[in-house]
Amino acid sequence: MIALLALTLPAALAAYGVPGDDPYQDGFPSAEERELHLWTNAVRVDPEAFIGEYPCDFDAFQPSEQTPKGILWLDMGLAEAARYHSLDMEATGNFSHSSSDGTSFGERLSWFYDSGYAGENIAWNYGSPYATVFTGWMCSDGHRANIMLGDYNELGTGIAGAYMTQDFGAGTLDTDSPVAMGAHTPVDAARDADFMADWQDDAAPKTLAVVVDGIRHDLALTWGVETQGVYTASVELEAVDCHVYFFTFAREDGRSGTFPEEGSYTLGGGCTDEIGWVPEQADASGGLGTPGGGDGGGGDSPFGEADGGDDPDLGDPRLIGCMAVPAPAGALLGLLSLGALVGRRRRSA
């Protein structure tokens, strides 16, 4: 059994939405991890809209799970923790909330995240972020309870091979952006793609759009309500090997911004960046720097190749849900009950 690398510091701060870059894994969250995050927010803001997608009875959901909840913002510490755990499960076949060396969920989260109110969902072999959320987690009591818990305000997602992890938290947000997450689907889109961005603010967006290869496409509300919802646009992509995109918004009070805050995400098999992001962003005239060739992330996983781990038998997907738990003394802050919200700022701005 291989040993885990015990990290003690949270992920370094970067502009909101820009993939993290560290010495042992590619940028996080990846395009697939952002899609997993976005589908989680879609079901939170409008659980009833997906009745036709659940292979289970919506009426069996708890009343609180049938009502909309606020979106979850990206926390880079949770994202790194989730990717770290998925990598460990993939390398060792240890499908559990505890790490392959026996480290508990709470202790592991404390390496990356400084709040004592946290929960986790894991899944294996569901095939896509969409199927994992709607076929797997939302039709399992413990997982659904995590996804629909109103006290959470942050999320990190991690995917490695067929293993997916969600780490939830309640803490002080690292941004005041009304857009928590943006993504495209399917991840391997070639000619047609759907672009999605969530929104939560006191007022509906004055404008909300995706800029793909320098061309603006307005997003329309698809799930939820104008002040708390997920907006989408279907775009026919040009026949090029690499596309770049970012989201832009304006509030009614005149404030504006982009997601990610800096640079653009990349889409396509011909992109030469390593982390799904480049520093260029369209200027006022629609011009865009040439994508590819960024410094990127990379580096070897600390877990190396699978080392004799017992993988689950191929065929049936599996999942495990873990409710919010107190952590060991000196790690995360203790949690007295599921409803107790405990959080503090994790790092200086």
Side-chain angles (χ1 to χ4, degrees):
M1 187 74 67
I2 56 179
L4 286 173
L5 174 65
L7 301 180
T8 57
L9 296 176
L13 277 179
Y16 188 74
V18 174
D21 182 11
D22 60 49
Y24 67 87
Q25 62 189 32
D26 290 341
F28 60 92
S30 65
E32 192 176 19
E33 289 162 345
R34 287 188 285 113
E35 184 185 358
L36 181 62
H37 190 137
L38 219 305
W39 286 127
T40 302
N41 277 346
V43 77
R44 276 178 65 92
V45 302
D46 204 346
E48 189 172 357
F50 297 96
I51 287 179
E53 304 300 315
Y54 308 129
C56 55
D57 186 2
F58 182 74
D59 291 336
F61 292 12
Q62 294 295 319
S64 65
E65 297 167 352
Q66 298 182 14
T67 58
K69 303 296 184 297
I71 64 177
L72 302 174
W73 272 263
L74 170 66
D75 179 84
M76 291 299 281
L78 289 175
E80 187 171 5
R83 172 77 78 85
Y84 182 82
H85 190 53
S86 289
L87 283 168
D88 180 38
M89 292 190 293
E90 181 191 37
T92 66
N94 174 56
F95 187 64
S96 169
H97 288 291
S98 296
S99 299
S100 59
D101 67 349
T103 301
S104 69
F105 155 71
E107 183 177 354
R108 169 170 48 84
L109 260 290
S110 74
W111 298 344
F112 304 93
Y113 187 66
D114 189 11
S115 173
Y117 201 91
E120 179 171 271
N121 287 340
I122 61 175
W124 175 80
N125 206 32
Y126 272 82
S128 70
Y130 187 90
T132 302
V133 172
F134 294 102
T135 302
W137 287 330
M138 284 301 290
C139 284
S140 173
D141 292 349
H143 306 83
R144 183 173 63 247
N146 265 341
I147 289 174
M148 298 306 298
L149 184 63
D151 286 337
Y152 291 138
N153 63 350
E154 297 182 299
L155 178 66
T157 56
I159 298 176
Y163 293 88
M164 299 193 184
T165 301
Q166 289 178 312
D167 283 327
F168 302 87
T172 303
L173 300 180
D174 290 329
T175 182
D176 63 355
S177 171
V179 175
M181 181 54 62
H184 70 273
T185 185
V187 170
D188 58 353
R191 290 303 305 272
D192 299 299
D194 291 327
F195 292 86
M196 308 183 292
D198 49 33
W199 178 273
Q200 185 166 307
D201 202 19
D202 293 335
K206 184 176 181 180
T207 63
L208 181 58
V210 61
V211 179
V212 184
D213 299 333
I215 301 174
R216 175 193 175 95
H217 305 269
D218 290 330
L219 303 180
L221 178 67
T222 305
W223 299 290
V225 296
E226 288 184 333
T227 56
Q228 182 177 284
V230 172
Y231 292 69
T232 69
S234 295
V235 177
E236 183 175 347
L237 302 173
E238 296 294 329
V240 297
D241 292 335
C242 184
H243 306 275
V244 288
Y245 72 93
F246 65 95
F247 299 89
T248 181
F249 64 84
R251 288 167 150 143
E252 285 292 345
D253 63 8
R255 290 180 293 167
S256 61
T258 65
F259 180 88
E261 287 183 344
E262 296 178 359
S264 303
Y265 297 126
T266 60
L267 161 62
C271 299
T272 59
D273 63 286
E274 297 180 14
I275 61 173
W277 176 89
V278 291
E280 294 81 16
Q281 206 170 77
D283 59 28
S285 63
L288 192 69
T290 302
D295 291 336
D300 295 329
S301 163
F303 308 116
E305 298 297 326
D307 188 16
D310 296 326
D311 287 330
D313 292 337
L314 294 177
D316 296 331
R318 300 171 59 192
L319 45 81
I320 297 177
C322 177
M323 294 302 295
V325 295
L332 299 177
L333 299 177
L335 178 66
L336 298 179
S337 68
L338 185 62
L341 180 61
V342 182
R344 57 188 171 90
R345 180 168 293 277
R346 298 177 302 289
R347 55 190 83 99
S348 59

